[in-house]
Amino acid sequence: MATNKQPAALIIIDMQRGMNDPTAGERNNPGAESNIQRLLAGWRNTDWPVVHVRHNSRTPGSPFWPGQPGAEFQPALAPLSHEHVVEKNVPDAFTHSGLERWLNVRGIKQLVIVGVSTSNSVEATARTAGNLGLDTHVVADATFTFAKRDYAGTYRTANEVHAMSLANLEGEYAAIIHTNDALTLLTAFRPYPLQSGEFSAY
């Protein structure tokens, strides 16, 4: 996946307070937040790039309306001052956000995507990443989604919606991995050493 000359970027999508709103309905993967925290700690310890994506809704009254508490990052996953933050108002984190350019400038070609929701922003972002030719990985147990009715009106559990979204992505847009797979990556590789007079751009 990543090499010692090309670290992977951890892309954390929409982990905002509003995602804990009970009106969102049934969700899956109750341990997703803990797994994201494990990955974030690992990325920080290895000094690999981290990108935090925040959704700013265009719908008045949405918990993700800018300036509302729901739009704030969850405290346990809040970005550090030097970590990159992407603001978006559509599901795809690449649309009108400058994310592609930010990655290109740094030579980052490998992504590990986590966050919410699997069937919306995670899937949309992973599809674009795959279409851009990036080596994209979605962490199945560090993402989650919500139950919904399909187009025929059949109720689908959050687990069912999650599984179908991962199936949509697997092999065509992204590789589907798990938290331990990503953590193993960190033990096998280290970022390239900085040369004298250089500083980290991440």
Side-chain angles (χ1 to χ4, degrees):
M1 183 168 121
T3 72
N4 62 344
K5 292 186 177 180
Q6 289 187 317
L10 180 65
I11 311 294
I12 305 175
I13 298 181
D14 298 352
M15 291 306 298
Q16 296 158 254
R17 292 177 182 267
M19 289 300 175
N20 293 326
D21 191 326
T23 62
E26 174 211 334
R27 59 164 282 186
N28 71 318
N29 275 358
E33 286 87 347
S34 294
N35 287 330
I36 296 171
Q37 288 180 48
R38 290 172 62 203
L39 291 169
L40 180 57
W43 250 253
R44 286 171 172 170
N45 288 339
T46 315
D47 197 29
W48 277 10
V50 176
V51 177
H52 301 261
V53 180
R54 172 165 48 206
H55 186 74
N56 293 319
S57 177
R58 292 173 168 174
T59 304
S62 165
F64 305 104
W65 184 261
Q68 298 298 311
E72 298 176 0
F73 287 111
Q74 295 179 20
L77 298 169
L80 300 179
S81 60
H82 67 279
E83 292 174 344
H84 188 56
V85 176
V86 167
E87 307 278 352
K88 68 178 180 64
N89 46 44
V90 296
D92 182 6
F94 284 93
T95 300
H96 306 308
S97 71
L99 176 57
E100 181 183 2
R101 181 180 183 278
W102 189 89
L103 295 169
N104 285 340
V105 165
R106 290 157 179 79
I108 300 170
K109 301 184 182 300
Q110 295 139 339
L111 307 181
V112 173
I113 297 176
V114 301
V116 64
S117 65
T118 322
S119 57
N120 196 1
S121 293
V122 170
E123 185 171 343
T125 301
R127 283 173 177 265
T128 296
N131 285 334
L132 290 171
L134 295 167
D135 182 10
T136 305
H137 295 70
V138 174
V139 185
D141 58 351
T143 54
F144 65 95
T145 193
F146 302 93
K148 66 185 299 183
R149 294 190 179 277
D150 66 20
Y151 189 69
T154 303
Y155 180 84
R156 303 296 182 183
T157 66
N159 276 332
E160 290 174 328
V161 176
H162 180 78
M164 182 56 70
S165 289
L166 295 179
N168 290 340
L169 295 172
E170 185 174 25
E172 186 166 0
Y173 302 99
I176 308 304
I177 63 173
H178 291 81
T179 297
N180 287 340
D181 301 322
L183 291 173
T184 299
L185 169 73
L186 293 174
T187 65
F189 296 95
R190 290 293 181 268
Y192 58 89
L194 297 176
Q195 301 300 313
S196 177
E198 292 184 339
F199 63 95
S200 174
Y202 303 117

